[in-house]
Structures are given as structure tokens and as C-alpha cells.
Amino acid sequence: MSPRVLIVEDEPDIVELVSYNLRQAGMEVDSAGDGESALERVAVQRPDLIILDVMLPGVDGLEFCRLLRQRPDVRDIPIMMLTARAEEVDRIVGLELGVDDYVTKPFSPRELVLRVKAILRRVDGQARTAAGNTPRLSAGPIVIDLQSHDAYVDGAALTLTATEFNLLQTLMERRGRVQSREELLNVVWGYQYAGYGRTVDTHVRRLREKLGDAHEMVETVRGVGYRLRRDKT
Ligand code: CA
């Protein structure tokens, strides 16, 4: 089945450009010109991924994100953000809305398609892992369920985004081994891209916050990357 992508953008030229390129890549594409109608659309026909512009009339991209992440039925849909300026990226990341990836306008349609595919592969990979016969991983107080994508610390459930879950899963699967930012980008995000190391740092920071008392399980190895501690059982 073709992946279904919802584009939320009020600029027709961009909708057309992105739609064309995604369809060429074998995806089904739907679009909405503002946040309100996009929220309605998402409820009716759940997309596999949302491409979301920051600047929208009415409910803007950031507010849309916040509203989506509050709804249990659709909160885990991956979001690729379109931003007009590189400086906006800092703001978006700072707001910790659980955006999976972002591109700055003007963007190369080819790169956008590659990034969208990378996110979809990641989600698909999680689904396939879930179908296998290793449904749970544990490390010290942390337990993750690969089938339901639930994560727990000392039995208390955490609310993780798809990217945070995948990051935690990767660190757990490679427990005790240092992972460079580049490796994590490659495995978790599905691409290597100069300058995106801070994407990793931001997600690690957010993951640590959510891990609460178990945050020290994720160690920073200065100048190298991150590692999940092995000394706790
Ligand atoms: Ca716009």
C-alpha cells in the first residue's frame, strides 16, 4: 500500500511542487490549506506522515503540532516541518513539539522526498520489529515494548514521540557501546547530514527529561556521542 502524506500549507505553488514530487515517488498525497481543516482531515483519514508549514492562516503550524500531540489517536503521526527561515528551526526545536524533521525554504524537492522516505522507513521498521518475536527490551529501570511502542521507567509509562522511542530503542539495542551523533542520525533518522548533530542533542535532551530519575542511564561521551550505561541491571 502506498504511504499517505498530508501536506498542510497555504501556498498553492509549494503544495503543487511537493505533491508532484511525492506522487512521483509513489506516495498518495492529500493537502489542507489551514490548520483547522487539516485537524479535521487527520481525524477522518489518518495519514502516515504530515508535512507541515509553520506559517498558516488561523491555527499555525506550531499550534497545529501542539493540538495534534494532545490527541491520543493521532499524536504519533510523524511530522516534517517546513520553515521559512533557518532561525525558526531553533524556535521549533526549543518548543519541543516532537517534530521529527524539518527543512528550510527554499528546499530541494529531491532532498525533501529523501527525508520523507527516511521517516517512513523508520516508522515501517518499527512496525516490522513489532511483528517479530522480541517484543520487549529492558535496561536497568527502563523497559520498552517494541510491539505497542510503550516505554516505562520503574513501571511508570512515558509519553515518547516516534523519534524519541526509536532513539531509546537504538541506544538500548547497542547498550554499552558509544554511538556518535552521525551513527544515531543514520540509524534513527535514516540519513547523514552535516550540521544536524544538534537534532540528535535536542532529542537526547528531551528523552532524558522524560526518563526522569533514569536520565543518567543515557551518558554523554564528550566529543564522541552517547551511550546507554551497562553497569546497572
Ligand atoms: Ca505558508
Side-chain angles (χ1 to χ4, degrees):
M1 232 171 58
S2 319
R4 201 165 38 229
V5 177
L6 174 65
I7 304 168
V8 189
E9 164 67 285
D10 59 323
E11 290 165 70
D13 290 354
I14 292 184
V15 173
E16 198 177 319
L17 177 72
V18 173
S19 302
Y20 174 79
N21 283 280
L22 292 177
R23 287 198 180 104
Q24 289 292 104
M27 299 177 206
E28 277 180 41
V29 183
D30 205 358
S31 69
D34 62 81
E36 283 93 345
S37 57
L39 282 168
E40 286 166 25
R41 191 74 57 86
V42 164
V44 177
Q45 197 179 39
R46 187 193 155 91
D48 296 302
L49 181 140
I50 299 171
I51 295 178
L52 178 65
D53 189 40
V54 176
M55 297 298 290
L56 294 169
V59 173
D60 72 6
L62 301 179
E63 184 60 19
F64 175 91
C65 252
R66 231 184 318 269
L67 293 169
L68 192 84
R69 296 304 187 214
Q70 283 169 6
R71 285 169 37 172
D73 52 331
V74 291
R75 71 189 319 158
D76 60 334
I77 299 175
I79 293 177
M80 154 81 76
M81 207 84 157
L82 301 180
T83 76
R85 298 190 315 274
E87 303 88 79
E88 271 181 0
V89 170
D90 288 330
R91 217 173 110 234
I92 294 162
V93 168
L95 287 170
E96 310 212 329
L97 296 165
V99 171
D100 293 84
D101 203 353
Y102 37 78
V103 292
T104 309
K105 294 176 178 176
F107 51 83
S108 132
R110 187 173 161 273
E111 193 195 324
L112 179 76
V113 169
L114 287 176
R115 302 261 208 106
V116 164
K117 281 183 173 173
I119 298 177
L120 291 171
R121 257 201 315 275
R122 214 154 85 207
V123 174
D124 189 48
Q126 287 175 351
R128 262 186 282 108
T129 308
N133 52 12
T134 50
R136 284 196 166 211
L137 280 180
S138 66
I142 308 169
V143 175
I144 61 173
D145 187 317
L146 301 177
Q147 196 134 17
S148 63
H149 287 181
D150 290 323
Y152 307 89
V153 169
D154 288 326
L158 309 178
T159 308
L160 302 183
T161 65
T163 300
E164 288 159 3
F165 185 89
N166 210 354
L167 178 61
L168 182 58
Q169 180 182 341
T170 302
L171 289 170
M172 288 176 79
E173 285 169 349
R174 300 164 175 214
R175 190 176 179 190
R177 285 184 281 156
V178 184
Q179 304 300 307
S180 68
R181 290 174 178 80
E182 290 71 27
E183 281 169 318
L184 289 171
L185 266 181
N186 204 19
V187 174
V188 178
W189 281 262
Y191 59 81
Q192 288 195 20
Y193 201 73
Y196 277 76
R198 87 180 157 181
T199 300
V200 176
D201 296 339
T202 304
H203 280 84
V204 167
R205 180 161 52 80
R206 198 181 303 151
L207 176 63
R208 275 186 179 136
E209 282 168 12
K210 292 187 178 180
L211 287 172
D213 290 344
H215 69 93
E216 58 186 25
M217 288 292 290
V218 181
E219 290 181 315
T220 302
V221 181
R222 200 168 286 278
V224 187
Y226 298 99
R227 171 175 61 199
L228 200 76
R229 286 169 71 152
R230 188 178 275 295
D231 55 343
K232 289 194 177 182
T233 49

